[in-house]
Amino acid sequence: MDMPAIEVRGLSKRYGEGDAAVDALKGVDMRIAPGEVVGLIGPSGSGKSTLLKCLGAVIEPTAGYMALGGRTAFDGGWKIRDLRSLRRDNIGFVFQAPYLIPFLDVTDNVALLPMLAGKSNREARRQAVELLEALDVGHRAKAAPSELSGGEQQRVAIARALVNRPPVVLADEPTAPLDSERALNVVRILNRMAEQYRTAIIVVTHDEKIIPTFRRLYRIRDGRTYEEAGEGRGV
Amino acid sequence: MISLAGRDILHHWAKYVFTGVGLGLLIGVTLSMAGIYRGMVDDAQVLMRGSGADIWVVQQETLGPYAEPSNLRDDVYRAIVGMPGVAEASNVTYLTMQIRQGERDVRVMAVGFEPGHPGEPPFLVAGRRIVRSHYEVVADVRTGFRLGERVRIRRHEYEVVGLTRRMVSSSGDPMVFLSLKDAQEAQFLKDNDAIVNERARTAANPALNRPGVPGLLDAILATQAASRSVNAVLVRVADGHDPERVADDIRRWKHLEAYTRAQMEEILVAKLIETSARQIATFLVILAIVSAAIVSFIIYTMTLGKVRELAVLKLIGTRNRTIAAMILQQSLGLGLIGFVMGKTVATLWAPYFPKYVLLLPGDAVRGLLATMVVCAVASLLAIRVALKVDPATAIGG
Amino acid sequence: MRRPMVRMVVLSILGLGLLAGFILLMVRSGPFAPVRVTMATVERGAFENAVFGVGTVEAERSYAIGPTVPGRVLAVHADVGSEVRAGQLLAEMDPVELDARLSASRAASARAVHALDAAQAQVRDAEVRQALAGRNARRYASLGEQAFFSDAAVEAKRQEADSAGAQLQAARAQLDAARMDVARLEAERVAVERQRANVRLVAPVAGVVTARDAEPGTTLVAGQTVLRMVDPASVRVRTRIDQGRAGGVRAGQAAAIVLRSRPGVSLPGRVSRVELNGDAVTEERIVQVVFDETLQDFAFGELAEVTIATTRGAEVLAVPGVAVHDRGGRRGVWTVADGAAAFVPVRTGETALDGRVAVLDGLQAGDRVVVHSERELEAGDRVSPTESLVPVQR
């Protein structure tokens, strides 16, 4: 296995102080290779959401180590001061709902990220259109998000997550509102994209329809992760 | 980088336009208010410019002829015209009165002037100047009189031979110009009944109607009817003379009050319309506060409606600066729409105000700057809310 | 075509249109807008000048009729408006004691005549006596020479004759005195009669009574009037004309008179006299204007508007007077060059009653000048000529 896209060791998170302190994460270890799609499953209150926020550099872990794309991002403290650029350059997000920006058209929704990273508008749009075409929504590039179907919107959201070529994409319940065929389709796309762009994708889910598709799973329980081999049936 | 604010405005254009129209009407009111103040100042200045005088000579110890009544004998000008530095001096009378026109009364300021001398309306928009020495008037278009119309002023009927524009008194009443002699008659002669009664009263006085002195009564009656007063003498100063010095001479040697242009402006602008100006200034401040409150509220509401998008934007790495700029730009954009709208409506409805509304480009620029400042201030609350949005809220749970 | 594209285009066009409209509005109205003006062409043509004045209808000759001595009015026979003949009795003063004095005078006069007769009779008697005494004296004298009578007797007769002569002389003197008495009393009688006649106030000329100032019973002093009358043939309008315009007025010029009672009716007349005395207080000249035809229905003191035609020229260059402006002591007109106002100095002549001003210098026939303007022009102001500046009346 070459350099992991994401490596997490002993990551822990404590909310509150003293007697009221709650340990949401108690030493999480993860190691995911580029191009790999893993599932992150666990019941509600297991710390799944906290882990996601820590991985997404939205909240600060209490202790542990985290490296993204081979660079140390956290080691007892953030190693990259600017969390926004850290997120922008290293992590893609796919949410339960697409959460597209309603006042930007499809292309610009995607192109916004490279623009924020300092790319020229033309270059950013070129990248966005390329990715949208790869995701079969290139024909809707000029449409407003509200004019797209749910599946199309989700594909645009995936394009947005991928456009800056981050080492890691965090997908938070990406299939929750979808029927099984569409859910599987999303997973298929994620797999294809992970393969194509050599991105590690962590899919947080408790969707029974798609759990069997993962080759590898992390099950989280009481703030600890347990690695499991999935059925890896593929799609 | 694309303009997030611009895209948002374009996306929600209807919302922005309607809000902008509302704001614009408010700004239009504000601009009109300023225009009313400017109009009042301009009315006063037009009154001075229109008279074409450099010095106003009035009764001693008065602020006449516009701010206070003033009476002079009408031969005073002969003494003044002979003074050094005086190029021209002419009598004028001013009388605010009502003229009946059909069903309605028109409130006017009747100006008596000597044709060809200061006090004459400097330009006309229709008709001709007064040529006959009697029974012709030039009226401001605001009186509603038409060319050729005959109007009755006191004892005589006058023909409207010319129309002028923007000739108003300091209180905004349109002016009617007539020859000095007619105006003197109108001002100082009484109506028929009063004359007859006065005659009877005089005739009943045994001291004045003495049997042994034929002609005495007639002589007394004649003096009673004579009107030999004017309200002011307008002086044009000869080239190369200092109006201040000439006015000093008049004050000193003729025992009359003399005001130069600057002093008259002080009287008219500073004294006469001071209270109105303060009133309008208060109103402007209130309007500015109301505008700020409205913009603030609207932008705040719009921002609250975008919390999720803001969280996503933050999550994907948008800087606070960018987000603050977006909200600021939206606010300024709203202000700009409002301003264009306001300026347009103010320009369109200005002619329908009963009093003159003067919209100065300088005021428009100031209004634009004020709008921008107000909008910027109004966006602060929304920016504060936006910056407090937690990017984590975009991630479920 | 995709819908967002369409919307974008539509919005852009709408936005640009609004912006263009806004800019247009800003440029077309308000301080940046060009000043709207009306223009006229300078033309040569007939130039009839006239002056205008206001006058009152008066009679040239009016008469105040009253007594020459104080007295009381007895009767007034004429009323206001009465037409009277020359010599007609108009009023009488109370003669009071004049009639009695007249009878006394007449009686005295008659008595004097009788006294004269008596004196004449006495003269005749004295003559007869004197002739008799003379004859007696002569006869005694001749008889005395013949010594028929004594000298004393002769002397006595001669004395008798002398006495008779003296008596005759006295009688003659008395006659003269009686004659003079008659003359004196006759003169007195005439005087009283004259005085009696003077209480009758008669019309000096044919005319119309215009005022009745005293009623019977009123006591008047000498000089007060009982009646006033005028000669209607001498009616004219005493017209006051502003000094500044009275220059061209001459006797004989035609005039149009409009009486206040008959507005719109212009009566022909002509200037009969331009008076030398002006009114220094009102700064007016007095011009007498007579009617060409005798006026029938009028009132004295009625106001009249008089327009006197003064000069006329055939090919005079003229501009509307309102186009002429004084700027800093220079007189001129505004012309338009390349859309901007330019001031052209001119020398002007008379102003006609229609408002036109004769141009002596500075303009050519065919030049276009600004007549009316929306505001006072400044050199270089952008102007846009239009037909009319007066908004459509509401």
Side-chain angles (χ1 to χ4, degrees):
Chain A
M1 202 173 191
D2 46 31
M3 196 170 56
I6 179 166
E7 184 177 8
V8 175
R9 286 201 304 266
L11 201 68
S12 58
K13 173 68 185 173
R14 169 177 288 191
Y15 289 111
E17 295 284 321
D19 291 347
V22 177
D23 284 315
L25 298 178
K26 300 165 182 167
V28 172
D29 297 320
M30 292 173 94
R31 188 182 165 86
I32 306 167
E36 196 181 4
V37 178
V38 299
L40 181 65
I41 56 174
S44 298
S46 59
K48 196 174 54 176
S49 192
T50 305
L51 178 57
L52 196 60
K53 285 172 184 170
C54 286
L55 294 179
V58 175
I59 61 175
E60 187 174 2
T62 317
Y65 172 85
M66 179 164 75
L68 294 168
R71 286 169 68 203
T72 303
F74 187 86
D75 190 2
W78 291 112
K79 293 294 158 194
I80 298 170
R81 293 211 70 81
D82 187 353
L83 292 185
R84 283 173 209 268
S85 57
L86 170 70
R87 288 200 293 266
R88 187 186 68 209
D89 298 337
N90 295 300
I91 307 163
F93 293 92
V94 177
F95 311 104
Q96 189 169 343
Y99 292 161
L100 300 177
I101 310 296
F103 52 78
L104 298 180
D105 65 18
V106 167
T107 310
D108 285 342
N109 256 290
V110 179
L112 185 59
L113 279 96
M115 286 178 189
L116 288 172
K119 295 248 172 64
S120 72
N121 287 5
R122 176 193 279 267
E123 174 61 18
R125 290 213 175 95
R126 194 190 58 73
Q127 285 184 14
V129 170
E130 186 187 306
L131 205 54
L132 287 169
E133 274 165 3
L135 286 160
D136 299 331
V137 281
H139 62 292
R140 307 307 304 269
K142 288 290 166 197
S146 56
E147 293 168 334
L148 269 55
S149 71
E152 286 172 333
Q153 287 190 25
Q154 193 61 288
R155 273 183 276 169
V156 174
I158 293 169
R160 181 173 66 187
L162 289 168
V163 68
N164 269 357
R165 304 283 191 271
V168 180
V169 168
L170 300 176
D172 180 19
E173 308 264 13
T175 61
L178 304 178
D179 60 31
S180 70
E181 192 187 331
R182 284 181 189 165
L184 289 174
N185 199 23
V186 168
V187 176
R188 195 180 299 130
I189 291 165
L190 288 176
N191 275 302
R192 183 153 63 84
M193 289 297 127
E195 183 68 27
Q196 192 171 342
Y197 295 103
R198 303 303 296 164
T199 299
I201 300 181
I202 300 171
V203 180
V204 179
T205 187
H206 47 252
D207 189 344
E208 294 299 334
K209 300 188 290 287
I210 64 167
I211 290 172
T213 63
F214 301 113
R215 280 194 201 87
R216 211 150 64 88
L217 286 170
Y218 285 96
R219 185 177 297 278
I220 185 163
R221 192 185 302 131
D222 293 334
R224 285 184 219 285
T225 46
Y226 303 92
E227 191 178 341
E228 293 175 11
E231 293 174 40
R233 268 191 262 157
V235 281
Chain B
M1 189 62 206
I2 50 171
S3 161
L4 293 174
R7 295 306 181 89
D8 188 34
I9 292 174
L10 277 181
H11 187 257
H12 294 117
W13 67 273
K15 197 177 186 177
Y16 276 93
V17 164
F18 284 122
T19 313
V21 167
L23 182 65
L25 293 173
L26 200 62
I27 292 173
V29 169
T30 312
L31 288 175
S32 300
M33 218 63 205
I36 287 168
Y37 170 71
R38 295 290 180 194
M40 287 172 76
V41 173
D42 194 61
D43 278 355
Q45 281 168 346
V46 153
L47 185 62
M48 296 195 306
R49 275 204 308 272
S51 70
D54 297 320
I55 295 174
W56 285 257
V57 180
V58 296
Q59 188 182 342
Q60 211 171 12
E61 308 282 325
T62 67
L63 290 173
Y66 311 115
E68 263 184 29
S70 147
N71 266 309
L72 296 174
R73 287 286 158 189
D74 69 355
D75 50 6
V76 162
Y77 89 95
R78 299 182 198 178
I80 292 170
V81 81
M83 296 185 67
V86 174
E88 246 185 302
S90 63
N91 288 322
V92 277
T93 65
Y94 296 99
L95 175 65
T96 302
M97 61 188 301
Q98 297 206 359
I99 298 178
R100 195 143 194 87
Q101 188 205 23
E103 287 295 297
R104 69 196 183 102
D105 274 337
V106 186
R107 192 170 176 74
V108 300
M109 185 185 223
V111 180
F113 71 101
E114 292 177 84
H117 289 285
E120 188 167 28
F123 63 95
L124 299 184
V125 296
R128 59 172 172 81
R129 292 214 178 105
I130 289 178
V131 179
R132 288 175 168 81
S133 45
H134 290 283
Y135 312 139
E136 290 186 341
V137 295
V138 168
D140 189 276
V141 283
R142 291 203 92 128
T143 55
F145 297 149
R146 266 163 270 190
L147 279 185
E149 190 170 345
R150 298 189 75 84
V151 295
R152 193 174 179 85
I153 301 174
R154 297 281 155 94
R155 297 164 55 78
H156 296 287
E157 274 204 344
Y158 293 79
E159 186 181 349
V160 179
V161 297
L163 293 175
T164 179
R165 201 177 148 267
R166 287 291 301 122
M167 298 307 281
V168 291
S169 73
S170 55
S171 53
D173 298 325
M175 284 183 175
V176 167
F177 293 87
L178 53 167
S179 74
L180 184 71
K181 290 196 178 70
D182 289 348
Q184 281 180 312
E185 258 191 57
Q187 180 166 4
F188 300 106
L189 267 192
K190 296 148 193 149
D191 59 273
N192 291 355
D193 288 341
I195 291 170
V196 170
N197 288 340
E198 193 59 41
R199 269 188 206 153
R201 210 166 288 135
T202 310
N205 185 341
L208 301 179
N209 188 9
R210 291 156 85 167
V213 191
L216 174 64
L217 181 63
D218 292 338
I220 290 169
L221 292 178
T223 57
Q224 280 177 349
S227 69
R228 306 264 48 98
S229 285
V230 293
N231 298 121
V233 175
L234 303 183
V235 172
R236 202 164 61 71
V237 173
D239 287 344
H241 282 81
D242 179 16
E244 196 57 55
R245 293 276 296 279
V246 177
D248 267 347
D249 281 352
I250 295 172
R251 274 192 284 267
R252 181 165 176 202
W253 299 113
K254 299 297 169 196
H255 305 289
L256 297 165
E257 193 59 75
Y259 295 111
T260 59
R261 220 164 240 264
Q263 289 167 326
M264 190 47 80
E265 184 154 356
E266 169 75 14
I267 291 170
L268 282 180
V269 176
K271 299 276 188 325
L272 221 53
I273 62 178
E274 194 187 13
T275 326
S276 316
R278 277 213 301 270
Q279 178 113 336
I280 287 171
T282 313
F283 206 80
L284 282 178
V285 170
I286 291 171
L287 280 174
I289 292 170
V290 171
S291 309
I294 288 180
V295 174
S296 180
F297 176 72
I298 289 165
I299 295 292
Y300 180 70
T301 322
M302 284 179 169
T303 307
L304 285 189
K306 279 201 287 273
V307 165
R308 191 171 291 277
E309 283 85 8
L310 290 172
V312 173
L313 283 171
K314 283 187 164 187
L315 194 65
I316 63 177
T318 312
R319 292 179 190 287
N320 275 349
R321 208 171 52 214
T322 315
I323 287 171
M326 174 180 115
I327 292 170
L328 182 64
Q329 285 168 19
Q330 284 170 350
S331 185
L332 294 183
L334 193 60
L336 200 65
I337 294 173
F339 177 78
V340 170
M341 187 68 206
K343 178 70 182 147
T344 309
V345 294
T347 308
L348 290 179
W349 71 37
Y352 297 99
F353 274 78
K355 280 185 110 176
Y356 184 57
V357 179
L358 177 62
L359 302 170
L360 292 177
D363 281 351
V365 171
R366 272 189 280 276
L368 180 60
L369 288 179
T371 308
M372 292 296 123
V373 169
V374 163
C375 286
V377 170
S379 66
L380 289 180
L381 185 63
I383 289 174
R384 204 174 114 83
V385 168
L387 293 188
K388 279 170 85 178
V389 169
D390 185 359
T393 53
I395 300 174
Chain C
M1 197 70 183
R2 279 167 296 184
R3 281 197 294 137
M5 207 64 172
V6 177
R7 200 181 61 177
M8 199 70 172
V9 169
V10 168
L11 278 183
S12 308
I13 291 171
L14 211 68
L16 281 177
L18 283 176
L19 196 67
F22 178 72
I23 291 169
L24 198 69
L25 188 71
M26 292 304 112
V27 172
R28 288 295 302 278
S29 69
F32 299 121
V35 185
R36 295 190 308 144
V37 298
T38 64
M39 303 201 67
T41 308
V42 183
E43 281 171 351
R44 280 187 190 283
F47 187 86
E48 289 182 8
N49 202 2
V51 296
F52 175 84
V54 174
T56 44
V57 177
E58 289 176 8
E60 173 94 66
R61 291 181 286 280
S62 66
Y63 304 86
I65 294 157
T68 51
V69 292
R72 204 172 68 226
V73 179
L74 181 67
V76 182
H77 299 299
D79 226 325
V80 173
S82 310
E83 289 184 24
V84 295
R85 301 180 316 278
Q88 184 179 335
L89 177 65
L90 299 180
E92 285 175 272
M93 300 301 291
D94 191 349
V96 200
E97 83 291 2
L98 274 182
D99 280 337
R101 268 172 58 196
L102 185 61
S103 0
S105 179
R106 277 186 184 146
S109 190
R111 198 177 133 258
V113 171
H114 291 307
L116 180 65
D117 288 346
Q120 278 170 344
Q122 274 175 351
V123 169
R124 271 199 302 278
D125 181 50
E127 277 170 354
V128 172
R129 282 171 192 270
Q130 195 244 351
L132 181 66
R135 275 196 310 274
N136 280 343
R138 279 193 304 271
R139 193 164 60 239
Y140 269 69
S142 65
L143 289 179
E145 285 172 15
Q146 290 161 12
F148 286 111
F149 293 114
S150 63
D151 284 351
V154 172
E155 195 63 24
K157 283 297 177 191
R158 200 173 60 231
Q159 193 194 344
E160 250 174 50
D162 286 349
S163 169
Q167 273 176 4
L168 177 64
Q169 234 169 350
R172 279 195 179 138
Q174 218 150 12
L175 178 65
D176 280 351
R179 272 212 189 99
M180 285 165 92
D181 241 5
V182 167
R184 177 179 67 79
L185 288 170
E186 185 60 25
E188 254 176 42
R189 184 188 62 81
V190 169
V192 174
E193 263 176 3
R194 284 263 168 82
Q195 223 172 336
R196 176 68 178 78
N198 219 11
V199 303
R200 292 163 47 88
L201 303 178
V202 298
V205 292
V208 177
V209 177
T210 57
R212 179 166 153 153
D213 289 346
E215 292 304 320
T218 317
T219 306
L220 301 177
V221 297
Q224 266 183 293
T225 56
V226 177
L227 293 167
R228 288 172 211 267
M229 56 172 289
V230 298
D231 179 0
S234 69
V235 169
R236 82 275 194 263
V237 182
R238 189 171 190 269
T239 310
R240 289 171 293 120
I241 294 196
D242 196 85
Q243 283 175 352
R245 296 190 165 276
V249 181
R250 302 279 179 275
Q253 282 168 343
I257 304 160
V258 177
L259 293 177
R260 190 128 193 251
S261 58
R262 278 173 278 175
V265 180
S266 175
L267 302 166
R270 102 198 102 71
V271 176
S272 68
R273 190 169 67 224
V274 181
E275 299 203 348
L276 284 175
N277 283 332
D279 188 331
V281 179
T282 63
E283 297 164 2
E284 286 166 324
R285 279 197 88 167
I286 312 285
V287 173
Q288 306 285 9
V289 177
V290 295
F291 294 91
D292 282 351
E293 286 161 27
T294 312
L295 208 51
Q296 292 306 321
D297 172 29
F298 70 98
F300 288 108
E302 184 172 351
L303 226 49
E305 298 174 9
V306 179
T307 308
I308 301 167
T310 50
T311 52
R312 63 175 59 201
E315 288 289 293
V316 178
L317 204 60
V319 293
V322 62
V324 181
H325 295 268
D326 278 317
R327 277 172 57 82
R330 284 199 310 157
R331 174 164 283 224
V333 296
W334 289 101
T335 58
V336 177
D338 300 330
F343 193 71
V344 176
V346 297
R347 225 154 51 75
T348 55
E350 286 180 74
T351 305
L353 272 193
D354 61 4
R356 287 186 308 146
V357 172
V359 176
L360 305 176
D361 214 0
L363 284 176
Q364 307 283 323
D367 285 352
R368 302 272 289 164
V369 297
V370 173
V371 182
H372 303 121
S373 61
E374 254 179 334
R375 55 181 167 85
E376 218 173 340
L377 290 173
E378 290 296 330
D381 276 354
R382 287 192 306 123
V383 297
S384 88
T386 46
E387 280 302 303
S388 167
L389 295 179
V390 183
V392 178
Q393 300 281 352
R394 271 170 281 168

